Amino acid sequence: MRFERVRLRNFKCYDDSDLTLRPGVTVVHGINGSGKSSLLEGCFFALYGSAAIDGTLDDAIANDTDRMAVTLEFTHDGGQYRIEREVKTRGDTAQTTTCLLEAPEGQLEGVTDVEAHVESLLRMDADAFVNCAYVRQGEVNKLINASPSDRQDMIDDLLQLGKLETYRERASDARVGVKRVRDRKRELLADREDAIERKRQKGLHARLNELESELGTITDEIEAKERERDAARETLEAARSVLEEAESRREEIETLGGEIDELTESIAETERERDELDERIGSLRAERTDLEDDLDAAVERTDLGTDADAEAVTDRLADIEGELEDVRERIESARIEANEHATDAETEREHAETHRERARQARSDAEELAAETESAAEALSAKRERLEEIDDRIGALRETLDDAPVDPDRLESHRESVRSELADANERLAELRADLKNAKESVADAERLLDAGKCPECGQSLEGSPHVESIAEDRERVADIESEIETQRAEIEQLEAEHERAVELVDAETELSQSTENREHVASLIEQRETAIAEKRSRIETLRAEADDHETEAEAAAERAATAEAAAESAREAIGKLNAEKHRLDDERDRIERVRDLLDRIDETGADIERLRERRANKAELNDQRRERLAEKRDRKAELEDAFDEAALKEAEADERRAEDYLSEVEPYLAEQREKRDEIQNEIGAVRNELDELEALEARRDELEATVEWLQSLYDEAATLESTYADLRAELRRRNVDRLEAMLNETFELVYQNDSYARIELDGEYELTVYQKDGTELDPDQLSGGERALFNLSLRCAIYRLLSEGIDGSAPTPPLILDEPTVFLDAGHVSKLVELIESMTEHGVAQILVVSHDEELVGAADDLIAVRKDPTTNRSSVERSATTGALL
C-alpha cells in the first residue's frame, strides 16, 4: 500500500492544504507546534475515522469554522483507491456527513461500510494499524513497555492469530452447547424407555378384548328393552288420545254454557242502555228550549232585529271588525307620530349635550398640549447641550487614532497579530523552561553517576567508555538555554506593551464608531422634537376654534328639541279620543258574538239528539243478532251431551295407567344400562389411547436414539475442531516467533553494532530477553534510553517486515509511519536510526513517512516536506522542499 495524495480542509490547524506523496523516504519537518503530526493524523483519520482522533470529532475541526474535510488517495495491491470524509457541526455536536470510498470494485458509502472495507483491505483495525505501521509521537516504547499478555495480544492480532483463538472459542462454545443438548436428549430417552415399560406391563391388548365382549352383551339387552318401551309408548298415546277427546268435549260443553249465560246477560244490559238513551234525548230537548229563550233576549240588546240568523250575525261582526281595524290604524299612526316627535326631541337634547361635552374636552386638550409643549421645549435645550458634548468626545478620539501605527480598519488584525506573537513567545518560553529543566536533570544525573564511577547514559562502568565528553556539552547547553530564556523574556515584555497599546487603540476605534452613531441619533432626535413642538402649537389653536363651534351648535340643538316635544304632546291627545271610540266598538262586538254563540249551541244540541236516536236504533239491531247466536249455542250443547260415552272413557284410563307404570320401570333400567355401556366405551377409548401413546412413545424413542447418536458424533467433531485450532495457533505462533526473532536480531545488529550484546531472544509468549557477550541475560528495561528506543524501533520494524513479507509470501501493508522517532535518541543513535530506515527500504518497504526536525534525518530523505504556521492566522501550510541530495 502507498499513499499518493492527501488534502486537508479545516482539519485541526490546516486551512486548505493539498499534498502529493511519493515513494521512498519522505521526511516532514518544521518547528515545534507547526502541525507536522497533524498531517499524518489526517491520513490516519481518512482510513479509520473517529478511532484515529484523541478526543471527539469537534477537536478535529479548525477554530472559527463548523466543518472540515479530509481526502486520501492511495494504491493497494495494484488497485487505485480514494477516501473522502466530511464532518460538520450540527447543534453542539460534530457529525460525519460524508464518508465515501471509491475502489476498483465500486463505490461504498457510510462510515460502517467504508471502515469495514478498509479493515478488510489492510487486515487490521485502527489499534493494529498503530501497533504495526504507525509509530506515534511518544509511543516508541509502547511494545516493550506493554505487559507480556498485552504484547501477546497485540502481536497475535497483527499476525491474524487472534482469529484462530476466536475460532477455537467458538468451537468450544459449540461443543459445550452440543453436550448440553445431548445430555438433555439422553434424559428424555431414558424417560421414554421407562414410560414404554410401564404401559407394556398393563396388558392393554387383553384388556381391550375383554371390554369389547362385555360391551356387545349390554348393547343387545338395551336394544330389546327399547323395543318393549316403544310398544308401551304407543299404547299410552292411544289411551291419552281417547281421554283427550273426551276432555275436549267436556270442556266445549262447559264453554258453551258460559257463552249462553254471557249472551243472555248482554241482551239484558243492552236493553237497559236503550232506556237510558231515551231519557237523555228528553233532557236535550228541554235544554234546546232554554237556549232558544236566551237567544231571543240577546237579540233584543242588538240592532239585528227579531229575524236574525247566523248569516246576518256574521255580516254584522265583519262590519264591526272593519270599523275596529280603521280605529286601530289611526291610533297606531298617532302613536308613531308621537314617538317620532319625542325621539326627535330626545335626539336634539343629546346632540346639545354632546356638543357641550366636546367643547369642554377641546378646551381641556388645548390646555394639556400647552403644558406639554413647554416641557418639550426645555428637554430640547438639554439635547442640544448633549450634542455639543458628543462632538467634543469625537474630536478627542480622532486625535488618539491619528497616532496609531496602522490604519483604523486594520486595528483588529494588528491586535490579533500582536496577541499571536505574544502567545508564540510564551509557548517558546515554556518550551525553553522545559528544555532547561531536562538539561539540568541530565547534568545532575551525569555528575552523580560520574561521582559513582558509572556512565551517565547507560549506567555501566566508565572504563573504555566514549560517553564522558557529553557532560560538558550538556553544561554548555544549560548555559545557552538560560541565555535564550532571558532574551525571550525581554521580547515578551516588549510584546505585552505592544499588545496593551493595540487593545487601547481597538477600544478607541470602537468608542469612536459608537459615538458617531450616537451623535447621528441625537441630531435626528432634536429635529424630530422641533417638528413635534410646532405641530402641538398648531393643534392648540385648532382645538380652541373647535370648542367655540361646538358651543354654538349646542344652543341650536336645544331649540329644536323644544319644538319637537310640543308636537309629541298634540299627538298624544288625539290617541286618547281614538281609544274611547275603540272601547265602544269592542262592547258592541261582544254582544253580537253572544248571539252567534247561542245559535251555535242550539245547532249542536239538535245534532246530539239526532245522534242519540241513531245509537238507540243500533242497539236494538245488535240484540236481535245476539238472540240468534244464543239459539245456535243451546242446540250445540244439547247435541254434545247426547254423544258422551262413559264406558270407553274408563277403558282408556286403565290402558293409560298400565303403560305409565311399565315406562316408569323400564326407563331407569335403560339409563343404568346405558351408563354401564358408556363407561365400558370410555374405558375402551382410554385403552386405545394408551395403545396409541405406546406406539407414539416407541416412535419418539427411536427418533431420540437417532438424535443422541447424531449429537454424540457432532460433539466429537466440535472437540476435534477445537483441538485443531489450538494446535494450529500454537504451530503458527512458533513459526512466527522464529521468523520474528531472526528479523529482530538481524535489524538490531544492523543498527547497533558493538561488542556489548550477543543476541535477542523471543520466546513463545513474546517475552524479550537481551543476551550480552558473556551470556548475561538483560531485561530490555535495563538498556540505556537510546538503546531502548532503537530496540523498540527494531522490534516494530521486524514486525512490519514479517507482515509485509508474510509467512507464505508477500502481503500488501500500509506505509511505515514514524512520528518524531528521535525523541529519545542522542546524535550517535540518530545515525543508527537512519541506517534502520535505509535497511527497511532495501527490504522492499515502498514508502516510509517520517516526522522530524532532526537535520540528519532531513538529509537522508528522498522527498522533503516543509510545514509552516502563519503567526497571524495560526493556520498551517505545506510545501515540498529540495532534498539534501538534490541540493548537492
Side-chain angles (χ1 to χ4, degrees), residues 330-383:
R330 291 165 61 191
I331 291 172
E332 183 64 23
S333 176
R335 183 180 292 110
I336 291 172
E337 183 179 355
N339 289 338
E340 288 177 351
H341 289 305
T343 301
D344 291 342
E346 182 65 24
T347 301
E348 292 300 331
R349 284 193 291 272
E350 290 176 356
H351 285 169
E353 183 60 30
T354 300
H355 284 295
R356 292 189 191 100
E357 179 62 28
R358 288 178 179 175
R360 287 193 295 271
Q361 184 63 43
R363 295 191 185 282
S364 176
D365 292 345
E367 293 301 324
E368 290 179 1
L369 279 175
E372 290 178 5
T373 302
E374 184 65 24
S375 177
E378 294 176 358
L380 180 61
S381 177
K383 288 294 179 183

Side-chain angles (χ1 to χ4, degrees), residues 571-584:
R572 293 189 192 101
E573 293 176 358
I575 291 172
K577 295 177 181 179
L578 289 171
N579 280 331
E581 177 65 15
K582 178 177 178 295
H583 291 157
R584 185 188 66 77

Side-chain angles (χ1 to χ4, degrees), residues 169-187:
E169 291 175 355
R170 291 177 183 174
S172 177
D173 293 342
R175 177 182 58 78
V176 173
V178 170
K179 181 179 181 298
R180 285 197 299 267
V181 175
R182 181 201 63 189
D183 293 343
R184 287 199 299 271
K185 295 298 182 182
R186 282 179 174 173
E187 292 175 1

Side-chain angles (χ1 to χ4, degrees), residues 460 756-757 768-772 775-783 787:
Q460 297 179 8
S756 299
Y757 308 113
L768 294 163
T769 305
V770 179
Y771 287 90
Q772 299 186 86
T776 303
E777 297 181 3
L778 290 177
D779 189 271
D781 289 339
Q782 296 177 282
L783 299 176
E787 291 171 337

Side-chain angles (χ1 to χ4, degrees), residues 707-777:
T707 300
V708 168
E709 183 179 353
W710 173 73
L711 288 171
Q712 182 60 44
S713 65
L714 191 61
Y715 175 83
D716 296 339
E717 290 176 3
T720 301
L721 186 60
E722 179 184 2
S723 175
T724 300
Y725 280 133
D727 295 343
L728 179 58
R729 183 188 183 198
E731 174 60 22
L732 289 177
R733 179 185 288 177
R734 184 191 61 76
R735 294 167 60 188
N736 286 332
V737 166
D738 293 343
R739 290 286 304 282
L740 185 59
E741 184 182 46
M743 290 181 178
L744 176 58
N745 279 287
E746 178 183 344
T747 305
F748 193 68
E749 288 175 4
L750 174 68
V751 299
Y752 200 81
Q753 298 174 354
N754 63 15
D755 296 331
S756 299
Y757 308 113
R759 61 187 177 87
I760 299 173
E761 183 181 272
L762 182 68
D763 65 12
E765 302 301 324
Y766 300 111
E767 284 281 5
L768 294 163
T769 305
V770 179
Y771 287 90
Q772 299 186 86
K773 293 292 186 179
D774 60 1
T776 303
E777 297 181 3

Side-chain angles (χ1 to χ4, degrees), residues 78 187 214 301 372 442 493 510 512 538 585 606 695 794 836:
E187 292 175 1
E214 186 177 353
R301 292 193 295 272
E372 290 178 5
S442 297
E493 290 176 359
T510 302
L512 175 61
S538 175
L585 291 172
E695 292 179 3
S794 299
L836 175 60

Side-chain angles (χ1 to χ4, degrees), residues 1 5-7 9 42-49 69-74 80-86 98-103 108 114-115 117-118 121:
M1 179 182 185
R5 178 172 173 260
V6 61
R7 182 182 181 187
R9 286 169 290 171
C43 300
F44 190 23
F45 173 76
L47 292 173
Y48 292 101
V70 176
T71 304
L72 177 66
E73 297 178 6
F74 61 92
Q80 194 75 27
Y81 296 84
R82 180 180 181 274
I83 294 180
E84 179 181 355
R85 291 181 187 265
E86 184 178 37
T98 301
C99 185
L100 180 67
L101 171 62
E102 297 177 2
L108 293 175
V114 169
E115 291 181 2
H117 195 73
V118 169
L121 283 176

